[in-house]
Structures are given as C-alpha cells and as structure tokens.
Amino acid sequence: MILANSMELAPLDGQRFRFDAGTLCLELLVTGGEGELARWERLHTPGDLAAWIPYSRVGLGDLVQVSADELAATLRLRAALQRLAATAASGSRAFSGADLATMNEAAAAPPPVPVIGPALERSWVSPVTGTQFLSAVARDAVEVFGGPALDRIRTCEGERCPMLFLDTSRPGARRWCSMDRCGNRYKLRTRRDRHPSG
Ligand SMILES: [Zn+2]
C-alpha cells in the first residue's frame, strides 16, 4: 500500500509541517512511541485512536470503533514496528522474532471490508473495528518488510529527528522527514557555514 499522501503534524517544537510517511505501517509511528518517543504520545485513550485513524492514508473516514484492548494492541504493534523500522533503516537485518510475531498476529485478523455503493462510491463496511485497522497496518508492514521496499526505509537525517519513512521517490534519495523542516534547517546551516559573517 504505497500511496502518495501526507499529513500535517505539529510536534513539540511547534512548527507545523507536512509529512509523508510513504506507507501506512510507518504512518502509525507519528502517533508516539516508547522511551524518547513517549513525549510525542497522542494515543492516550481509545477515542484518541478513533480520532486519529481518519487522518491516516487507509481512508476509513470516521467509521472506526476502538476498544481499550484494541488501543493496547495498537501500542504493542506500533512499538514493534518502530523497532523493526529503525533496524531496517540502520541497514541491519537482525530483526526481533518477537516483533515479527506481533506483526503476523495483527495481520492474521480480517482487514476492513470494502464496499461499493449505487453511485459507484467506494467505502467500507461500517463500523470498522480497531482490530481491522491494525490488520490493514500489519498487512502493509508484511508487504514492506517482505519485499524490495525494505531497502527504502529511512530515518530522517535531521539532527535528533527520529522520523522514519519509506522513500518512494524514483531515485531513492529522500533524506528528510520534510523539506520544510529538517531539509530547510540543513540548507540554512550549510549557508551559514559558507557565509559565517552573514
Ligand atoms: Zn526530520
């Protein structure tokens, strides 16, 4: 599921920017994480997750119902994906078997069911459950980690920027989470280094 799509983010430093994670399974990582990433946490309640899902590229609208167990499963899957993606981005292929098992377990559940209406409008059988959403995320991850896209998982080269994305550019030379953010900061820094007085 490699679609061109981006979402507006406002991290703790307050600068809003558009971010394209490149694929659904990495998009979930912008909602927070463990350790250092806990300060970005956006998913505190099942309602937080239900409210976030419509912003993701899976396109479920506001049809989603999330339980407390499903929120816990989401945080588990997200932590596993975070570790797997960081490993991939570092060039290593020493993936944790437990994390791959977490991915497989989520992928085993049935995904959202697509429907088409009388005016050929495409939608989903409603309500979509949190488990179905996680299945869509995990199936996307199986596709990415099990194919050539694995070599395109990158960490932003910005200073202390933890953002992970799938580089879907044709030349495969994407370096930044966003040109407006880390790309621009890098440009300003190199310009300053070249003209230290100005
Ligand atoms: Zn960045």
Side-chain angles (χ1 to χ4, degrees), residues 156 158 161 163 176-178 181-182:
C156 174
C161 182
M163 304 207 71
W176 314 111
C177 57
S178 160
R181 185 178 155 82
C182 291

Side-chain angles (χ1 to χ4, degrees), residues 35-169:
E36 272 280 283
L37 299 171
R39 62 201 178 98
W40 301 59
E41 187 59 71
R42 295 173 61 170
L43 306 180
H44 302 284
T45 67
D48 292 342
L49 177 57
W52 179 80
I53 288 172
Y55 290 102
S56 79
R57 69 188 59 210
V58 72
L60 294 176
D62 52 4
L63 312 164
V64 185
Q65 268 178 9
V66 179
S67 71
D69 284 351
E70 288 171 332
L71 172 64
T74 301
L75 300 186
R76 264 199 314 278
L77 177 63
R78 190 186 63 186
L81 290 173
Q82 169 74 43
R83 286 187 290 266
L84 293 167
T87 300
S90 76
S92 164
R93 294 295 176 261
F95 299 113
S96 146
D99 287 341
L100 292 174
T102 299
M103 189 199 285
N104 286 334
E105 194 187 311
V113 178
V115 285
I116 193 154
L120 304 184
E121 72 278 19
R122 193 180 175 289
S123 182
W124 303 94
V125 174
S126 172
V128 176
T129 66
T131 304
Q132 286 177 301
F133 168 71
L134 281 193
S135 170
V137 170
R139 286 170 186 228
D140 177 58
V142 169
E143 236 177 86
V144 169
F145 282 81
L150 181 60
D151 295 330
R152 290 292 196 100
I153 297 180
R154 315 243 189 273
T155 307
C156 174
E157 290 180 26
E159 253 181 293
R160 291 188 300 279
C161 182
M163 304 207 71
L164 287 151
F165 55 85
L166 186 72
D167 180 1
T168 57
S169 70

